[in-house]
Amino acid sequence: MIDLRSDTVTKPSPTMREAAADAEVGDDVYGEDPTINDLESTFAELVDKEGALFVPSGTMGNQIAAKVHTEAGQEVLVERESHVYKWELGGLAQHAGLQARTIDGGDRGVVTPDAVQEGYVEEDDHRPGTGLLCLENTHNSKGGTAIAAERIDAACETAHDHGVSVHLDGARLFNAAAALEVDAARLAREVDSVMCCLSKGLGAPVGSMLAGSEAFVESARRVRKLFGGGMRQAGMIAAPGLLALENRERLAEDHENARRLAEGLEAIEGLSAREPETNIVLVETADPAEAFLERCEREDVLGVPFGEHVVRFCTHLDVDTDDIDAAVRRIERVA
């Protein structure tokens, strides 16, 4: 089976398993787990923020940030296809009491200053006002688009001019950095908080990071506890996370494999594959996506539906060029 459903399906390496077994641990709720402390300081340095917090999932990280930055009842500006709006069970409303106002980021999910300006609502006696802007990089629903630092900066500037904080859903932040050939810290420079998944692309079995100012992290730690995310001897899962951060240097291989896959699928009659910017390949199918993927599964290739006639394939560290070539051959038989 060649599993291209997501870069979350990777298995921890033997080295990661050994690190988990040998990790020095303590009670993290008391701040006494040295491995978690090491992971948090390492990530904070990588994104050039004052502090960081280890959380169980990217969704929890996004939801914590939204609650810390806002007051209940405020509006949050979100790109209309963004993960925090589309795939997190209405958590903005359920956890933080926020109203989501969608703005259009176009074909690539790039939120412009004009879109922020148009979506912004000033607080008055009748309206709660805008409390937060959420951005996403890479943009999952748009096919893993890598959004340039200058575009992030511009949206942040408009939001900050109105006193609105900005959170960056950087679940695949290091994919964006690799594609754009810049440091992750540059992409996160102007945002007030940033989340990054260790289990997407980087290969950790579990966990995400949330970073920002010292005051933000202090508040985020309290909200993590509120959400049930306080962990004890969690250094056993933080240790693989430290090793996962080293995998950011190889993400370009996944991007090259995605381009190889897209080129192979584009040549197949009945399929149209968009040129990927990172590790996500979106393919338009003549047949309904669900039926197409059922036939792919019978040929031992897995993907996910991304629309009535669109499927997503995602490359990762557990597939190599031979797997990509084999997947193309099998999908050609399907088509």
Side-chain angles (χ1 to χ4, degrees), residues 224-299:
R224 183 185 70 174
K225 178 69 173 179
L226 172 67
F227 287 176
M231 297 172 284
R232 302 299 177 175
Q233 290 73 30
M236 296 184 72
I237 54 175
L242 275 165
L243 293 175
L245 288 174
E246 298 176 7
N247 284 333
R248 67 189 190 279
E249 303 297 339
R250 57 151 307 281
L251 290 172
E253 297 176 28
D254 295 341
H255 301 171
E256 179 58 37
N257 281 335
R259 287 190 290 270
R260 187 183 187 96
L261 177 63
E263 290 171 4
L265 297 182
E266 176 66 24
I268 298 173
E269 185 176 355
L271 301 181
S272 177
R274 308 176 196 177
E275 183 177 356
E277 296 184 26
T278 53
N279 67 324
I280 294 175
V281 180
L282 297 185
V283 184
E284 295 183 21
T285 61
D287 294 332
E290 295 279 4
F292 174 77
L293 288 171
E294 287 176 5
R295 296 200 302 275
C296 286
E297 186 171 0
R298 290 197 290 270
E299 291 289 338

Side-chain angles (χ1 to χ4, degrees), residues 321-333:
T321 54
D322 289 341
D323 294 318
I324 296 301
D325 292 343
V328 171
R329 292 193 299 270
R330 296 176 190 181
I331 293 172
E332 185 173 20
R333 289 199 294 269

Side-chain angles (χ1 to χ4, degrees), residues 43-104:
F43 182 78
E45 184 175 351
L46 286 174
V47 294
D48 195 23
K49 298 298 181 186
E50 292 178 356
L53 183 69
F54 182 51
V55 295
S57 71
T59 293
M60 181 181 282
N62 285 337
Q63 295 299 321
I64 289 172
K67 188 168 181 64
V68 170
H69 285 305
T70 61
E71 298 177 2
Q74 286 186 313
E75 293 190 356
V76 52
L77 294 178
V78 293
E79 205 284 323
R80 64 185 181 87
E81 295 288 331
S82 62
H83 191 282
V84 70
Y85 175 67
K86 191 176 180 180
W87 303 113
E88 298 187 11
L89 286 172
L92 296 171
Q94 296 199 67
H95 299 308
L98 300 176
Q99 301 182 87
R101 178 178 292 274
T102 60
I103 51 182
D104 189 357

Side-chain angles (χ1 to χ4, degrees), residues 77 103 111-120 130 133 135 150-166 190:
L77 294 178
I103 51 182
V111 171
T112 65
D114 286 345
V116 176
Q117 182 65 48
E118 184 178 349
Y120 171 74
T130 301
L133 168 66
L135 304 175
E150 293 76 15
R151 307 303 295 274
I152 300 291
D153 296 349
C156 288
E157 182 177 6
T158 301
H160 290 156
D161 284 346
H162 290 295
V164 174
S165 296
V166 182
E190 300 301 323

